[in-house]
């Protein structure tokens, strides 16, 4: 809902809006496991065909584009991660998993985490509380059924949260959310001023491949940043985190980064990270557990 005349809102109105979801205590550990100097948390959002289906459309060409993510993107990513002995988290909309459940097996067998990413990549802010709760529960159950592992992580599709998302994720027993942007480092989420116990592993548009590389014909977005520039931005994010002894979290999409001209960005970044010193490369679930205990 957009307010016509926001300057007329009294504090009794704007303060509760701000307090619905807010950053609570910082979860910045004094040390990382095994003497690592920094943490690099990689995530891959496997939207695949639901990037299109979740908008209510089903253009054949755009579904094929999603298919590319599963057929070529994910295998290339798994290959790079294996070569650098990195763990990562794959956020999967339930329908993107159900289209071809066997495609999740190589991800799970390599020890990576699968997290919830909506039912069909729907925009959460469009849902009423009951529908959102039902979809969140069903998405988690569907992924658990396909992989044999109950997901503990949640990422809202399009990072679009309703006023209820954080409270529902806490209520359903998730360990962490990774859809918000209030810090570089992890923090505990507050819901209406109350601690939820839910860890936030913050994302940011600056650390998302789609911002720089995702071409859309309609609506027309053509943010074609050269791959070298994308690598440079991510490397700077990592280097600064390394110097601070902190966390660098990145978001990739198999149908964005998985191309022959781009996959090297991930490869080179991991090479660079390993060359700088001791770096921890955990799944988001392992990261959430560590910061919760160590902070
Ligand atoms: Zn997504």
């Amino acid at each position: 809902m957009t307010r016509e005349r926001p300057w007329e809102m009294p504090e009794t109105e704007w303060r509760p809006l701000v307090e619905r979801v807010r950053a609570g205590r910082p979860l910045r550990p004094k040390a990382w496991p095994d003497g690592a100097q920094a943490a690099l948390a990689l995530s891959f959002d496997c939207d695949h065909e639901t990037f299109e289906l979740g908008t209510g459309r089903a253009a054949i060409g755009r579904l094929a584009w999603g298919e590319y993510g599963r057929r070529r993107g994910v295998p290339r990513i798994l290959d790079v991660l294996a070569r650098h002995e990195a763990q990562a988290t794959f956020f999967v909309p339930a329908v993107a998993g159900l289209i071809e459940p066997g495609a999740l097996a190589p991800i799970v067998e390599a020890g990576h985490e699968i997290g919830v990413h909506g039912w069909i990549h729907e925009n959460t802010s469009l849902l009423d509380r009951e529908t959102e709760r039902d979809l969140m529960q069903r998405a988690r159950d569907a992924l658990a059924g396909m992989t044999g592992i109950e997901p503990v992580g949640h990422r809202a599709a399009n990072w679009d949260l309703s006023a209820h998302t954080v409270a529902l994720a806490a209520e359903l027993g998730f360990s962490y959310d990774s859809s918000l942007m209030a810090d570089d480092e992890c923090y505990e989420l507050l819901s209406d001023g109350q601690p939820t116990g839910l860890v936030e592993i913050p994302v940011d548009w600056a650390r998302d491949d789609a911002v720089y590389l995702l071409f859309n014909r309609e609506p027309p977005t053509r943010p074609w940043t050269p791959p070298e520039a994308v690598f440079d931005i991510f490397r700077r994010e990592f280097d600064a985190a390394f110097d601070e002894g902190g966390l660098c979290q990145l978001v990739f999409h198999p149908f964005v980064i998985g191309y022959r001209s781009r996959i090297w960005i991930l490869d080179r970044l991991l090479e660079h990270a390993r060359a700088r010193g001791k770096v921890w490369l955990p799944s988001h679930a392992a990261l959430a557990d560590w910061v919760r205990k160590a902070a």
Side-chain angles (χ1 to χ4, degrees):
M1 188 185 71
T2 310
R3 264 154 226 273
E4 288 273 309
R5 301 167 72 81
W7 53 88
E8 291 176 354
M9 262 199 292
E11 183 169 348
T12 50
E13 255 183 72
W14 56 252
R15 191 165 294 282
L17 293 178
V18 171
E19 301 249 322
R20 286 200 291 212
V21 171
R22 209 160 164 74
R25 83 192 151 105
L27 297 175
R28 181 168 183 162
K30 288 184 182 67
W32 297 108
D34 299 324
Q37 185 152 344
L40 174 57
L42 303 172
S43 61
F44 301 90
D45 292 2
C46 298
D47 306 340
H48 302 337
E49 297 89 342
T50 65
F51 189 73
E52 174 73 351
L53 293 174
T55 67
R57 293 183 296 250
I60 304 293
R62 291 176 62 87
L63 293 176
W65 191 25
E67 238 184 316
Y68 183 93
R70 189 185 297 100
R71 291 168 64 88
R72 305 297 297 190
V74 171
R76 280 202 178 114
I77 290 162
L78 289 176
D79 176 55
V80 172
L81 295 177
R83 275 191 286 112
H84 294 281
E85 295 179 0
Q87 292 294 293
T89 298
F90 291 71
F91 290 97
V92 182
V95 171
L98 289 165
I99 289 171
E100 218 176 303
L104 296 179
I107 302 174
V108 177
E109 280 159 17
H112 302 300
E113 177 196 5
I114 304 275
V116 170
H117 193 41
W119 175 256
I120 193 167
H121 209 258
E122 66 279 6
N123 269 52
T124 306
S125 66
L126 301 176
L127 310 173
D128 61 68
R129 192 183 196 283
E130 205 173 315
T131 308
E132 184 177 359
R133 191 183 197 285
D134 176 53
L135 288 172
M136 202 185 276
Q137 177 86 61
R138 278 166 56 202
R140 184 169 61 173
D141 291 350
L143 291 173
M146 286 181 273
T147 64
I149 300 164
E150 172 122 311
V152 298
H154 176 268
R155 172 170 292 165
N158 303 312
W159 302 341
D160 175 49
L161 281 77
S162 78
H164 309 295
T165 307
V166 166
L168 285 174
E171 188 181 313
L172 293 183
F174 281 91
S175 161
Y176 71 90
D177 174 77
S178 182
S179 326
L180 289 166
M181 316 187 176
D183 208 309
D184 298 307
E185 305 294 328
C186 296
Y187 55 90
E188 182 176 3
L189 284 165
L190 304 180
S191 175
D192 292 323
Q194 297 303 310
T196 59
L198 206 58
V199 173
E200 177 61 34
I201 300 176
V203 293
D204 197 275
W205 295 114
R207 300 189 308 271
D208 181 335
D209 62 354
V211 172
Y212 307 110
L213 301 166
L214 182 66
F215 167 87
N216 240 355
R217 198 165 172 197
E218 194 56 48
T221 48
R222 290 173 167 79
W224 286 78
T225 313
E228 291 79 6
V230 180
F231 171 72
D232 188 60
I233 294 164
F234 290 172
R235 182 184 56 78
R236 285 167 190 272
E237 284 286 338
F238 171 78
D239 279 345
F242 188 88
D243 294 341
E244 290 174 14
L247 163 70
C248 173
Q249 190 279 347
L250 295 169
V251 179
F252 297 94
H253 299 76
F255 71 101
V256 176
I257 198 71
Y259 293 86
R260 287 166 170 158
S261 59
R262 298 173 177 172
I263 190 70
W264 68 267
I265 297 171
L266 181 62
D267 194 26
R268 193 80 61 78
L269 191 74
L270 284 165
E271 196 179 284
H272 173 78
R274 291 289 192 200
R276 280 225 54 190
K278 207 154 188 210
V279 178
W280 189 40
L281 288 143
S283 68
H284 283 39
L287 174 65
D289 281 349
W290 181 266
V291 300
R292 184 184 279 115
K293 283 178 196 135

